[in-house]
Amino acid sequence: MRGKLSKFTILLCVFLLIGFVGFATGQKETKAPTTVSIMYGTPWKDFVQPAVAKFEKETGIKVKQVVLPPGTNPDQKVALDLAGGVACDVIAVDGYRIPEFAEAGYLLNLDSYLNNWSDWNEYYEPMKKMVSFKGKHYGIPLDTDVRMLWYWKPIFEKAGITMPWQPKTWDDVLAAARKIKAALPNVQYPLYLPVGSKMGEATTMQGFYMLLLGADTPKNDRNRLRDWNAGKWIGKSPALLRTLQVYQTVFVKDKLSIRDIYYTPDVWGDWRRAMIHGNIGIGLGGSWEFKEFWSGAGVKVPSEQEREKLVGWAPMPGSGVPGAPKIVSISGGWTFAVNAKTKNADAAWKLLKTIFTKENFGRWVAGAAKVSTRKDVSEMASYKQDKYIAAITKLVAYTTTRDTYPGYSKVSSYVQSATEDILDGKTPQQAMDNFYNNLVSEFGKDKVTVIK
Amino acid sequence: MVVGLSKRSLYISLIPFALFILLLVFCVLWAIAISFTNKSLIGISAVHPRFIGILNYAKLLRHPDFINSLKVTFSFTFISAVVGQCIIGLLLAVLLRQKHIRFKAFFEVAVLLGWLLPDMVAAFMWGAFASATGFLNTILAPLGMKPINWITVKPLTTVIIANVWKGTAWSYLLFAAALDTIPGELFEAADVDGATAWQKLVLINIPIILPTILVNILLVTIWTFGYFSLIYGMTGGGPGHATEVLSILMYKEAFESFHIGYGSAISISMTIIVGSLSVIYFWGQRRAADVSG
Amino acid sequence: MSQVNITSTGRRTLMQTQGFATTVKHLILALVALFWLSPFVWLFFAAVDPRATSAFKVPDVVTLSNFVMVFAGSSSARWIINSLIIAGGTASVVLAVTMFAAYPFSRMDFKGKNLILWGLVLIRIIPLSAFMLPLFLLCVKLKWLNLIGVIVSLAMLNIPFGLLLIKNFYDTVPKTYEEAAWVDGAGILKTIFSVLFPISKSGAVVVWFMTFTSSWNEFMLPFILLRNPKLWPMSVGLFNSFGLHGTINFGFLAAFSIVYAIPSVLIFFTLRKNLVSGLSGAGIKG
């Protein structure tokens, strides 16, 4: 009996041994003091990697790079990593997260480094504000962007819509979409309007805000999510109602878009593939799409001339309601921040400095179809002379930023929920009531206001 | 007192077990405690969470997402587990026990494969199977149906069917084992009396294995109520909130919105609901025993 | 069966009705088999198709390259190893702990014994979701957001059931063997290893492989606890690959799914008799 037993005991010991190996490998992931780690998404590979090579050569410190594959949501991952205490030393953070992360103590205050860095003076004030919380700065702004209407020129040609397309009101946009739907029934998305929680912040910015901001006058923040003077979130307003009504028109009444594409596992890749394969007529998207329609679809980026033949853009018009802005855009921006729990703050800062030199940033920004966040790079010839950049820089004059007060990310998720209510068949009024109730339940009745 | 072994050595062998059980109990108590706070993973509540009493639970009861989640979870559990898995499992168990059925092993393996598959594989397979270009549409084409993406157009239906596909084998195994315990003489006696197959089912099979049936209904209800992986892998809870069962709602609240306290309240509510169902079951069983005894 | 035998009352014979009924039953079973096997059709085609998509298609070229990729690819190979570590580690820990703990439960009478046993049964009612949050926060505090944390958490969740199973097996072992061993001066270690364990080996095998399978299939726990992609087991690796449309292909994922599913299927069919009796015994008696 003992002989048979030992075979099993051996197996048991083998697996306990494997378990310990697993333990050891797990522990090895914590960085030794002579390495520095950085995490960012694939779109920034070209920007970061040359600087990392330079940093390693100059300082001899090894850099562990965690590049998130396309299709992963870096915003979500960073938040959970920080909460779990396992984030990298340097991390890419979406600008709107800075207040919440800073408040929770996850980010390192960089003021002592920034004040000794001459480049810091080149950054535009609104950009500096984007990375600040209660007057302290927690990151370096990477880029910014604008948002507009993209359209697929071959479809417009076939549908007989005159180009260059210059819609003046919401009705113009909807009319064009209806024309596409009638003329080309094979196009599944005559109008692509980001909706739902799968697309996350894209729904709130490229979809909801682009409508909301044009739905009413900017006076007293009537066209926003927060009344900054009163210090309250806006739970009900005519602008909110009008925005939800557009969602209803697009998804329920006129069926200018079906639901499928907004919930696929790879929402970003599929949006771009749908565009370049001629399945989208008009789409609300960011300025980076001029390059990402192809690179984000996993396809080689054609020359600028070829791209201009296929895709065009127009500034998003307002609703046409008296007093509402005629042109609307909203800007976000990514930043790079430092983990408050880093064991190597100096090395992390040095790495940041190397990445954010004028040369490195200037080299990358125009080609990536991004808007510069600092004066010295905006003055560079390569940037000034880029045709596309010059054109969208005009939009920068009309743009605004999100209402990023702590708690914004919750408001944003309620916005996404409201758009989903429309998809589920609720009326705009019901969706708005739910939105209001969500805000009240989250922040308390005294922090939410109603605009008549 | 066990002769030959010291009490001390017996208690020592309990120590590792006791450690794990303490950990388990600690987790449950901590979950309850967190549910009474507004702890979050970001913002000020990450650093200074406050005790807020039953506010989380009050919020839950008013929250349309929670109400929706309850509906989705109950439909999902009742239709796929109680109705789908148990009834089909029972019918299969009865059918495959009959003498003149051929290829029994083949049919059994077919059903078993669904259950043995890891959840993510099933989610992946069904994701492709039910997609617009998937095999399901190919099969249904001769019936004149247009190809649709079943997961975005009929999400709850598809997920329910996928769960029936996945879990029926368990009920089948249990019922088959129970049926095997029925003495053959009963059937022979029934044949002598000229009973039909249907009569045999209703008057012999079901009454004798009724305890097993009832226990299984409770078990699959408990398991299906908290099910996460298959649904999350197939739809992520969407589109919208169409397939957002309670476990997915909890995950989203806790790990996407980072409201740990609120998320904990959701999981404690789930426990309360499932616990109540169990209590009702045990109470019902007691009553039945009292009546028949 | 095909001869119509009209009896005096004009009714068809029992045999003919039976014949018809049998055909109907076989038809129903055939439909059932069709329902259960059709999702696999796509899976197997895609696994051997170098250019597979989610669309159903009979491949023009058949190849094993997808399977090679599964074992050769650095991420997928790592996922396989992680799954082995997690499943094997958990199963071993559970067996080791319950092997010892079940002995006092089986042979001794101590205060609260029945309460604990009933508690163990009831614990299974609590959904995993309720444990996720405290486990996550605990592993953050202990810096256990790695394989150790996953193994400890999974072991914790599987030990109650394992204990009940092993205790039931010990209960069937007559005390005479132990008493003989004590006469020879055996301590508790020897008693369990040399006497009880060999006799209830089938029970141990059941517990080890059941825990292995359930940890092998586990998704939610590693998904939430493991932040580092290098530590992902196959379930999480597969899930995160769904969305990488351009980078990872369906053929590879299909092959990967098959490889991932094989151990669970194999284990069940090898141990079928033991598993079923063990399950129903412990589950129903409880």
Side-chain angles (χ1 to χ4, degrees):
Chain A
M1 268 197 277
R2 277 197 208 149
K4 277 193 194 161
L5 173 61
S6 56
K7 231 199 282 181
F8 190 83
T9 321
I10 292 176
L11 201 67
L12 202 76
C13 294
V14 167
F15 271 107
L16 283 173
L17 196 70
I18 297 184
F20 273 112
V21 169
F23 175 65
T25 14
Q27 296 300 70
K28 231 201 288 176
E29 296 306 337
T30 49
K31 352 158 211 16
T34 52
T35 61
V36 140
S37 55
I38 178 171
M39 181 172 93
Y40 55 92
T42 311
W44 297 296
K45 235 170 56 166
D46 284 335
F47 173 56
V48 174
Q49 281 181 342
V52 165
K54 187 159 166 257
F55 174 81
E56 281 182 327
K57 222 167 69 167
E58 281 175 4
T59 64
I61 301 180
K62 290 285 308 173
V63 177
K64 177 167 158 237
Q65 298 186 68
V66 178
V67 184
L68 296 176
T72 341
N73 183 348
D75 182 32
Q76 193 65 32
K77 179 155 171 41
V78 156
L80 214 46
D81 284 352
L82 283 170
V86 293
C88 291
D89 296 309
V90 179
I91 41 184
V93 174
D94 195 334
Y96 80 96
R97 289 282 197 196
I98 300 256
E100 296 167 341
F101 287 169
E103 211 177 21
Y106 292 148
L107 301 178
L108 191 69
N109 178 0
L110 296 177
D111 282 323
S112 55
Y113 294 112
L114 291 171
N115 293 332
N116 289 325
W117 187 42
S118 51
D119 288 22
W120 188 236
N121 300 323
E122 299 292 332
Y123 282 88
Y124 298 119
E125 274 308 318
M127 294 297 111
K128 285 196 200 174
K129 237 180 117 221
M130 181 169 75
V131 295
S132 71
F133 175 66
K134 290 209 170 120
K136 306 207 183 123
H137 299 92
Y138 292 91
I140 302 184
L142 168 58
D143 54 25
T144 185
D145 42 47
V146 288
R147 283 154 182 75
M148 58 271 250
L149 288 164
W150 290 98
Y151 59 95
W152 194 245
K153 291 188 177 170
I155 289 183
F156 266 49
E157 241 183 87
K158 283 200 212 126
I161 306 177
T162 43
M163 294 187 279
W165 187 42
Q166 286 164 337
K168 296 273 183 288
T169 65
W170 286 359
D171 285 335
D172 289 346
V173 178
L174 293 171
R178 288 183 192 116
K179 204 162 179 199
I180 297 173
K181 185 177 166 84
L184 302 166
N186 284 332
V187 172
Q188 288 179 304
Y189 306 94
L191 177 59
Y192 177 94
L193 173 61
V195 66
S197 53
K198 188 84 207 285
M199 299 211 71
E201 194 62 13
T203 297
T204 314
M205 288 191 83
Q206 280 93 290
F208 201 80
Y209 256 120
M210 290 298 277
L211 291 165
L212 182 72
L213 289 167
D216 204 342
T217 168
K219 261 210 301 222
N220 296 331
D221 295 331
R222 282 176 74 94
N223 66 344
R224 303 193 67 96
L225 290 176
R226 185 175 175 83
D227 183 339
W228 289 88
N229 275 331
K232 299 188 187 187
W233 297 102
I234 299 175
K236 295 190 202 189
S237 71
L240 283 168
L241 192 64
R242 286 186 196 122
T243 306
L244 291 167
Q245 282 165 344
V246 173
Y247 269 91
Q248 193 189 40
T249 307
V250 171
F251 286 101
V252 181
K253 292 208 177 126
D254 292 357
K255 297 220 182 16
L256 297 169
S257 177
I258 57 176
R259 304 206 298 190
D260 293 24
I261 202 173
Y262 308 97
Y263 287 98
T264 65
D266 184 12
V267 270
W268 285 100
D270 285 336
W271 133 250
R272 286 146 183 170
R273 272 180 288 270
M275 181 59 104
I276 61 177
H277 292 144
N279 205 11
I280 295 180
I282 306 166
L284 273 161
S287 47
W288 59 83
E289 299 292 356
F290 191 56
K291 175 159 172 269
E292 297 263 353
F293 273 137
W294 289 271
S295 61
V299 163
K300 187 159 161 279
V301 183
S303 73
E304 197 161 319
Q305 288 163 309
E306 283 162 15
R307 283 183 270 160
E308 280 185 359
K309 284 204 209 110
L310 294 169
V311 82
W313 65 270
M316 176 69 178
S319 55
V321 161
K326 295 261 183 339
I327 291 184
V328 156
S329 167
I330 186 166
S331 299
W334 281 78
T335 72
F336 273 75
V338 176
N339 186 353
K341 292 212 173 89
T342 178
K343 297 201 171 72
N344 221 340
D346 287 337
W349 166 251
K350 257 224 188 88
L351 178 59
L352 267 184
K353 233 174 41 160
T354 318
I355 297 176
F356 281 92
T357 60
K358 176 173 156 205
E359 294 72 33
N360 193 37
F361 186 58
R363 162 189 71 79
W364 174 80
V365 67
K370 302 267 184 183
V371 176
S372 160
T373 45
R374 43 194 283 182
K375 264 187 270 157
D376 53 0
V377 170
S378 310
E379 299 288 307
M380 285 170 72
S382 57
Y383 185 82
K384 274 212 290 212
Q385 287 162 5
D386 186 302
K387 217 172 104 192
Y388 174 69
I389 294 293
I392 64 171
T393 304
K394 298 205 193 86
L395 264 187
V396 176
Y398 296 95
T399 200
T400 178
T401 56
R402 291 167 281 192
D403 300 290
T404 50
Y405 189 77
Y408 166 76
S409 63
K410 240 326 156 127
V411 177
S412 178
S413 74
Y414 293 141
V415 161
Q416 295 156 32
S417 213
T419 65
E420 278 174 343
D421 280 347
I422 302 287
L423 282 186
D424 288 341
K426 299 210 169 51
T427 69
Q429 184 64 49
Q430 286 169 326
M432 190 167 74
D433 289 339
N434 283 342
F435 178 69
Y436 174 77
N437 289 332
N438 280 331
L439 285 182
V440 165
S441 134
E442 173 76 22
F443 299 107
K445 206 152 179 208
D446 54 337
K447 291 278 187 327
V448 182
T449 177
V450 171
I451 296 186
K452 295 279 171 13
Chain B
M1 182 58 191
V2 182
V3 181
L5 288 175
S6 66
K7 236 192 182 165
R8 205 194 66 174
S9 60
L10 282 167
Y11 280 124
I12 289 182
S13 66
L14 280 177
I15 289 181
F17 173 77
L19 286 174
F20 275 101
I21 296 301
L22 274 172
L23 182 65
L24 211 143
V25 172
F26 175 68
C27 283
V28 177
L29 293 175
W30 196 4
I32 299 177
I34 299 177
S35 72
F36 293 126
T37 71
N38 68 349
K39 175 141 179 82
S40 164
L41 287 179
I42 55 175
I44 197 78
S45 307
V47 204
H48 297 301
R50 282 180 305 123
F51 177 78
I52 57 172
I54 57 168
L55 252 148
N56 279 330
Y57 292 95
K59 239 199 315 187
L60 270 182
L61 294 174
R62 288 186 320 227
H63 198 186
D65 281 348
F66 182 70
I67 310 290
N68 174 67
S69 220
L70 277 177
K71 284 194 220 152
V72 171
T73 314
F74 271 107
S75 320
F76 178 73
T77 306
F78 183 70
I79 301 178
S80 74
V82 178
V83 174
Q85 291 176 7
C86 285
I87 292 188
I88 298 183
L90 183 61
L91 287 175
L92 278 174
V94 170
L95 265 180
L96 288 178
R97 281 285 141 307
Q98 297 184 352
K99 290 189 213 97
H100 42 270
I101 299 291
R102 294 183 281 176
F103 309 119
K104 272 185 224 174
F106 171 71
F107 292 120
E108 231 183 30
V109 169
V111 177
L112 277 169
L113 280 179
W115 179 61
L116 296 172
L117 239 49
D119 293 347
M120 272 304 137
V121 172
F124 172 62
M125 261 175 51
W126 272 86
F129 180 62
S131 68
T133 48
F135 193 39
L136 181 60
N137 283 316
T138 317
I139 298 179
L140 293 175
L143 296 174
M145 300 198 60
K146 263 184 4 168
I148 55 172
N149 185 339
W150 290 88
I151 296 190
T152 41
V153 176
K154 288 248 173 268
L156 191 55
T157 313
T158 312
V159 155
I160 286 177
I161 295 179
N163 194 35
V164 171
W165 180 89
K166 182 121 202 343
T168 300
W170 162 259
S171 301
Y172 162 75
L173 286 175
L174 209 66
F175 294 148
L179 285 175
D180 278 345
T181 65
I182 302 181
E185 300 90 58
L186 279 174
F187 289 110
E188 286 159 24
D191 280 333
V192 166
D193 287 341
T196 68
W198 180 253
Q199 285 172 321
K200 276 192 256 182
L201 174 71
V202 177
L203 298 174
I204 300 184
N205 284 320
I206 291 189
I208 294 189
I209 64 170
L210 192 61
T212 311
I213 297 181
L214 292 176
V215 169
N216 194 45
I217 291 183
L218 178 68
L219 280 177
V220 296
T221 303
I222 295 175
W223 293 335
T224 312
F225 200 79
Y227 202 15
F228 178 77
S229 322
L230 181 68
I231 310 174
Y232 189 70
M234 279 178 75
T235 65
H241 302 286
T243 58
E244 202 170 65
V245 290
L246 286 169
S247 53
I248 296 186
L249 181 69
M250 188 284 297
Y251 172 78
K252 286 195 176 163
E253 283 295 337
F255 295 102
E256 289 184 6
S257 305
F258 305 116
H259 280 190
I260 299 278
Y262 191 59
S264 203
I266 296 178
S267 39
I268 299 295
S269 308
M270 286 171 71
T271 311
I272 294 178
I273 294 176
V274 162
S276 313
L277 290 174
S278 313
V279 165
I280 296 177
Y281 167 81
F282 283 120
W283 177 81
Q285 208 191 26
R286 272 270 193 79
R287 285 292 302 271
D290 290 342
V291 167
S292 59
Chain C
M1 259 197 302
S2 45
Q3 286 223 312
V4 178
N5 260 324
I6 313 283
T7 68
S8 52
T9 55
R11 290 213 207 102
R12 299 211 178 147
T13 62
L14 190 62
M15 274 193 67
Q16 201 190 14
T17 331
Q18 263 183 349
F20 177 68
T22 314
T23 322
V24 169
K25 286 178 199 165
H26 277 111
L27 213 72
I28 296 178
L29 284 172
L31 282 173
V32 164
L34 178 68
F35 171 61
W36 253 276
L37 292 176
S38 36
F40 286 101
V41 175
W42 171 82
L43 188 74
F44 281 106
F45 278 153
V48 294
D49 185 349
R51 284 189 312 258
T53 65
S54 67
F56 172 69
K57 191 189 80 157
V58 180
D60 331 297
V61 187
V62 171
T63 168
L64 285 179
S65 59
N66 288 326
F67 287 94
V68 173
M69 264 200 279
V70 170
F71 292 103
S74 57
S75 338
S76 51
R78 203 177 284 130
W79 296 336
I80 296 177
I81 294 179
N82 289 331
S83 277
L84 284 171
I85 294 178
I86 290 177
T90 308
S92 308
V93 169
V94 169
L95 183 61
V97 170
T98 56
M99 234 169 62
F100 278 95
Y103 186 72
F105 273 98
S106 172
R107 300 305 192 221
M108 229 170 90
D109 243 322
F110 49 87
K111 255 218 297 251
K113 172 168 124 167
N114 278 320
L115 183 68
I116 296 181
L117 284 175
W118 268 108
L120 293 179
V121 175
L122 290 175
I123 287 256
R124 308 206 65 213
I125 290 180
I126 304 179
L128 177 59
S129 321
F131 289 106
M132 275 324 313
L133 288 169
L135 281 174
F136 176 74
L137 293 173
L138 189 69
C139 290
V140 169
K141 276 226 167 69
L142 294 173
K143 297 219 186 339
W144 268 3
L145 286 180
N146 54 27
L147 297 182
I148 284 290
V150 174
I151 291 179
V152 168
S153 308
L154 283 174
M156 177 188 94
L157 294 167
N158 279 289
I159 279 176
F161 185 66
L163 184 89
L164 292 172
L165 257 171
I166 298 278
K167 172 186 171 299
N168 278 341
F169 273 97
Y170 282 0
D171 284 346
T172 66
V173 177
K175 288 214 179 116
T176 48
Y177 292 107
E178 292 146 59
E179 284 158 7
W182 294 333
V183 167
D184 290 339
I188 186 161
L189 260 167
K190 255 222 186 123
T191 317
I192 292 184
F193 267 118
S194 316
V195 178
L196 280 164
F197 191 66
I199 300 181
S200 47
K201 200 138 64 119
S202 59
V205 166
V206 167
V207 166
W208 198 90
F209 279 105
M210 269 193 63
T211 314
F212 182 92
T213 308
S214 96
S215 311
W216 179 263
N217 296 350
E218 177 66 35
F219 170 72
M220 192 181 189
L221 219 132
F223 177 58
I224 291 180
L225 289 184
L226 295 174
R227 307 264 83 241
N228 183 346
K230 294 215 177 102
L231 299 177
W232 287 344
M234 295 174 86
S235 52
V236 184
L238 178 60
F239 174 72
N240 274 292
S241 307
F242 286 179
L244 301 183
H245 206 112
T247 347
I248 299 203
N249 63 69
F250 276 94
F252 166 77
L253 285 182
F256 185 79
S257 301
I258 293 179
V259 171
Y260 180 34
I262 285 179
S264 311
V265 177
L266 270 181
I267 289 176
F268 176 78
F269 282 108
T270 333
L271 298 175
R272 175 149 177 198
K273 291 210 170 58
N274 296 325
L275 285 173
V276 174
S277 62
L279 273 174
S280 30
I284 306 303
K285 270 193 286 176

